[in-house]
Amino acid sequence: MKQLKLNNDIVANNKKADFQYFLVQTFKAGIVLTGTEVKSVRLARVNMSDAYCYFKKEELWLKNLHIAEYSFGNYANHAPLRERKLLLKNKELRRLQAKIKERGFTIIPVQMFISERGLVKIEIALAKGKKSFDKRDTIKDREAKKDVERMLKKYR
């Protein structure tokens, strides 16, 4: 099995995040993991498409982040969908908590990566949900960019 290097390797991306939400502000947070979870993350066995964050007793928690069980784990293996605590500074937590109380805002994970020090970090974003017409505009812009790229490639 191929393990990732230790220099800001992106382990997982939330591909739906940019399509379904307007990303207002991003934060880098630490995440509390067990040993077998870290080994699975280094093997890039992570799915974050349905994950979201919420506050419980002044702490930020991540729910529905699927980290597959480690194949060589034994009785000490982890539950794939357990809730995980996120580590942020108090100032950032207070700012996020104030924004969440506003209507329409949510916190979603955008990507997971391994820092230069070898720690697993997660980038979260304060996001506002898109309406269906906003999604159509996103698709239209994406297709226009693809058409321009095709034309440029054709005339090179």
Side-chain angles (χ1 to χ4, degrees):
M1 288 185 204
K2 179 188 168 220
Q3 280 203 331
L4 298 172
K5 292 175 252 142
L6 298 179
N7 51 359
N8 284 340
D9 280 336
I10 295 175
V11 176
N13 272 329
N14 191 349
K15 295 174 185 169
K16 292 182 181 180
D18 196 36
F19 181 69
Q20 293 179 340
Y21 299 97
F22 292 114
L23 304 179
V24 178
Q25 189 176 10
T26 61
F27 299 91
K28 288 182 174 59
I31 185 168
V32 178
L33 298 174
T34 63
T36 55
E37 286 175 324
V38 174
K39 291 178 181 186
S40 287
V41 166
R42 289 187 188 277
L43 294 172
R45 302 197 55 212
V46 179
N47 181 2
M48 57 179 16
S49 61
D50 295 331
Y52 63 94
C53 302
Y54 69 97
F55 280 95
K56 179 168 64 172
K57 296 183 182 176
E58 306 288 323
E59 295 176 337
L60 190 62
W61 291 82
L62 183 63
K63 190 169 182 136
N64 285 345
L65 176 72
H66 185 275
I67 298 177
E69 288 186 350
Y70 184 57
S71 57
F72 298 110
N74 50 13
Y75 66 91
N77 224 337
H78 63 278
L81 284 174
R82 76 176 186 90
E83 296 177 2
R84 294 163 180 94
K85 184 176 174 182
L86 295 179
L87 305 171
L88 285 166
K89 295 184 178 179
N90 284 333
K91 184 178 178 182
E92 293 172 332
L93 285 172
R94 284 193 301 272
R95 186 181 308 145
L96 281 172
Q97 207 165 16
K99 281 290 191 180
I100 286 297
K101 291 179 181 173
E102 293 180 26
R103 187 162 185 253
F105 281 106
T106 187
I107 304 170
I108 56 167
V110 179
Q111 69 181 9
M112 184 179 277
F113 62 95
I114 298 173
S115 71
E116 293 174 1
R117 292 177 49 198
L119 302 173
V120 177
K121 300 281 185 175
I122 191 158
E123 185 175 334
I124 58 173
L126 182 66
K128 191 169 183 100
K130 285 186 180 179
K131 305 283 187 227
S132 62
F133 57 85
D134 293 327
K135 293 178 186 178
R136 287 194 296 267
D137 290 341
T138 304
I139 292 170
K140 195 182 305 179
D141 292 342
R142 187 183 328 136
E143 288 177 1
K145 286 179 186 177
K146 284 181 184 178
D147 290 342
V148 168
E149 286 295 320
R150 279 190 218 117
M151 295 303 274
L152 289 174
K153 198 178 224 183
K154 184 177 180 181
Y155 291 112
R156 283 186 187 169

